[in-house]
Protein backbone atom coordinates (compact mmCIF):
# COMPACT_ATOMS: atom_id res chain seq x y z
CA UNK A 1 0.00 0.00 0.00
CA UNK A 2 1.29 3.47 -0.90
CA UNK A 3 1.72 6.14 1.77
CA UNK A 4 -0.98 8.84 1.80
CA UNK A 5 1.43 11.35 0.26
CA UNK A 6 1.61 9.19 -2.89
CA UNK A 7 -2.11 8.94 -3.56
CA UNK A 8 -3.27 9.73 -7.06
CA UNK A 9 -6.36 11.49 -8.32
CA UNK A 10 -7.87 12.28 -11.67
CA UNK A 11 -7.25 15.98 -12.29
CA UNK A 12 -9.26 16.80 -15.42
CA UNK A 13 -11.44 15.19 -18.05
CA UNK A 14 -11.75 16.79 -21.47
CA UNK A 15 -14.95 17.68 -23.27
CA UNK A 16 -14.33 18.61 -26.89
CA UNK A 17 -16.47 21.61 -27.82
CA UNK A 18 -17.30 23.62 -30.93
CA UNK A 19 -17.04 27.02 -29.24
CA UNK A 20 -15.50 28.07 -25.92
CA UNK A 21 -18.01 30.78 -25.02
CA UNK A 22 -21.04 28.63 -25.85
CA UNK A 23 -19.66 25.80 -23.71
CA UNK A 24 -18.79 28.10 -20.80
CA UNK A 25 -22.31 29.54 -20.88
CA UNK A 26 -23.89 26.07 -20.87
CA UNK A 27 -21.80 24.75 -18.01
CA UNK A 28 -21.93 27.87 -15.83
CA UNK A 29 -25.43 29.22 -16.56
CA UNK A 30 -27.44 26.04 -17.14
CA UNK A 31 -25.59 23.52 -14.96
CA UNK A 32 -24.34 26.01 -12.37
CA UNK A 33 -20.70 24.95 -12.62
CA UNK A 34 -17.96 27.33 -11.50
CA UNK A 35 -15.56 28.80 -14.03
CA UNK A 36 -12.20 27.89 -12.50
CA UNK A 37 -9.92 29.19 -15.23
CA UNK A 38 -10.15 30.85 -18.64
CA UNK A 39 -6.68 31.64 -19.89
CA UNK A 40 -5.88 32.66 -23.47
CA UNK A 41 -2.93 30.70 -24.84
CA UNK A 42 -0.60 32.25 -27.39
CA UNK A 43 -0.60 29.31 -29.79
CA UNK A 44 -3.36 28.85 -32.37
CA UNK A 45 -5.87 31.10 -30.62
CA UNK A 46 -6.53 28.48 -27.94
CA UNK A 47 -7.78 28.88 -24.38
CA UNK A 48 -7.33 26.81 -21.24
CA UNK A 49 -10.90 26.68 -19.93
CA UNK A 50 -11.68 24.71 -16.78
CA UNK A 51 -15.10 24.37 -15.11
CA UNK A 52 -16.18 22.43 -12.05
CA UNK A 53 -19.42 21.49 -10.31
CA UNK A 54 -20.23 23.92 -7.45
CA UNK A 55 -18.16 23.07 -4.40
CA UNK A 56 -16.24 20.23 -6.05
CA UNK A 57 -12.54 20.26 -5.30
CA UNK A 58 -11.23 17.44 -7.47
CA UNK A 59 -13.84 17.18 -10.23
CA UNK A 60 -12.89 19.44 -13.09
CA UNK A 61 -13.65 19.56 -16.78
CA UNK A 62 -11.36 21.00 -19.44
CA UNK A 63 -13.41 22.53 -22.26
CA UNK A 64 -11.22 22.05 -25.33
CA UNK A 65 -12.24 23.55 -28.65
CA UNK A 66 -11.73 21.19 -31.56
CA UNK A 67 -8.77 22.32 -33.65
CA UNK A 68 -8.48 19.52 -36.23
CA UNK A 69 -10.96 17.55 -38.36
CA UNK A 70 -10.49 14.36 -36.34
CA UNK A 71 -11.34 16.32 -33.17
CA UNK A 72 -14.35 17.99 -34.78
CA UNK A 73 -15.62 14.53 -35.75
CA UNK A 74 -15.72 13.61 -32.04
CA UNK A 75 -17.75 16.59 -30.83
CA UNK A 76 -20.82 15.25 -29.09
CA UNK A 77 -19.82 11.63 -29.56
CA UNK A 78 -16.68 11.12 -27.56
CA UNK A 79 -17.78 7.63 -26.46
CA UNK A 80 -19.59 6.28 -29.49
CA UNK A 81 -23.11 7.11 -28.28
CA UNK A 82 -22.69 5.95 -24.69
CA UNK A 83 -23.10 8.18 -21.68
CA UNK A 84 -19.78 10.00 -21.38
CA UNK A 85 -19.96 11.66 -17.98
CA UNK A 86 -21.63 11.08 -14.62
CA UNK A 87 -22.66 14.08 -12.53
CA UNK A 88 -23.42 12.99 -8.97
CA UNK A 89 -25.77 15.02 -6.81
CA UNK A 90 -27.06 14.86 -3.25
CA UNK A 91 -30.50 16.08 -4.41
CA UNK A 92 -31.60 14.61 -7.72
CA UNK A 93 -35.06 16.20 -7.90
CA UNK A 94 -33.79 19.70 -7.07
CA UNK A 95 -31.15 19.55 -9.80
CA UNK A 96 -33.36 17.78 -12.33
CA UNK A 97 -36.10 20.41 -12.02
CA UNK A 98 -33.61 23.29 -12.02
CA UNK A 99 -31.90 22.00 -15.17
CA UNK A 100 -35.21 21.38 -16.95
CA UNK A 101 -36.37 24.93 -16.17
CA UNK A 102 -33.08 26.30 -17.51
CA UNK A 103 -33.52 24.41 -20.78
CA UNK A 104 -31.19 21.43 -20.35
CA UNK A 105 -32.30 18.73 -22.81
CA UNK A 106 -33.06 15.45 -21.05
CA UNK A 107 -33.07 12.53 -23.45
CA UNK A 108 -34.10 9.92 -20.87
CA UNK A 109 -36.36 10.79 -17.98
CA UNK A 110 -35.87 9.97 -14.32
CA UNK A 111 -35.84 6.38 -13.19
CA UNK A 112 -34.86 4.58 -10.04
CA UNK A 113 -32.16 1.93 -10.37
CA UNK A 114 -30.33 -0.16 -7.78
CA UNK A 115 -27.46 2.33 -7.81
CA UNK A 116 -29.69 5.42 -7.47
CA UNK A 117 -32.00 7.86 -9.22
CA UNK A 118 -30.84 8.82 -12.70
CA UNK A 119 -31.78 10.78 -15.82
CA UNK A 120 -29.75 11.37 -18.98
CA UNK A 121 -29.16 14.82 -20.46
CA UNK A 122 -27.28 16.14 -23.47
CA UNK A 123 -24.71 18.91 -23.11
CA UNK A 124 -24.27 21.81 -25.52
CA UNK A 125 -21.88 19.73 -27.65
CA UNK A 126 -24.17 16.69 -27.75
CA UNK A 127 -22.42 14.48 -25.18
CA UNK A 128 -24.61 12.37 -22.92
CA UNK A 129 -24.43 12.81 -19.15
CA UNK A 130 -26.06 10.90 -16.32
CA UNK A 131 -27.42 13.05 -13.51
CA UNK A 132 -27.24 10.61 -10.59
CA UNK A 133 -28.20 10.66 -6.95
CA UNK A 134 -26.49 7.49 -5.69
CA UNK A 135 -28.56 5.23 -3.45
CA UNK A 136 -25.54 5.05 -1.16
CA UNK A 137 -23.13 7.94 -0.66
CA UNK A 138 -20.42 8.05 -3.33
CA UNK A 139 -17.01 7.04 -2.07
Amino acid sequence: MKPASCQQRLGLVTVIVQDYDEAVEFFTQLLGFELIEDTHLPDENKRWVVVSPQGARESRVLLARASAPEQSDRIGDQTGGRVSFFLYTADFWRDYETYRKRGVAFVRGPRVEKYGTVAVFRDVSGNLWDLVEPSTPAA
Side-chain angles (χ1 to χ4, degrees), residues 35-91:
L35 179 61
I36 304 299
E37 184 175 357
D38 187 352
T39 303
H40 289 266
L41 303 174
D43 295 339
E44 302 176 39
N45 197 28
K46 290 185 180 179
R47 290 159 53 185
W48 185 261
V49 180
V50 178
V51 296
S52 178
Q54 287 285 332
R57 292 196 174 117
E58 292 187 3
S59 303
R60 298 202 169 163
V61 177
L62 174 67
L63 303 176
R65 189 185 69 210
S67 61
E70 58 273 12
Q71 293 172 9
S72 294
D73 291 345
R74 303 295 188 269
I75 294 173
D77 192 24
Q78 292 183 208
T79 56
R82 292 192 60 138
V83 170
S84 303
F85 307 98
F86 300 81
L87 181 59
Y88 283 23
T89 179
D91 189 337

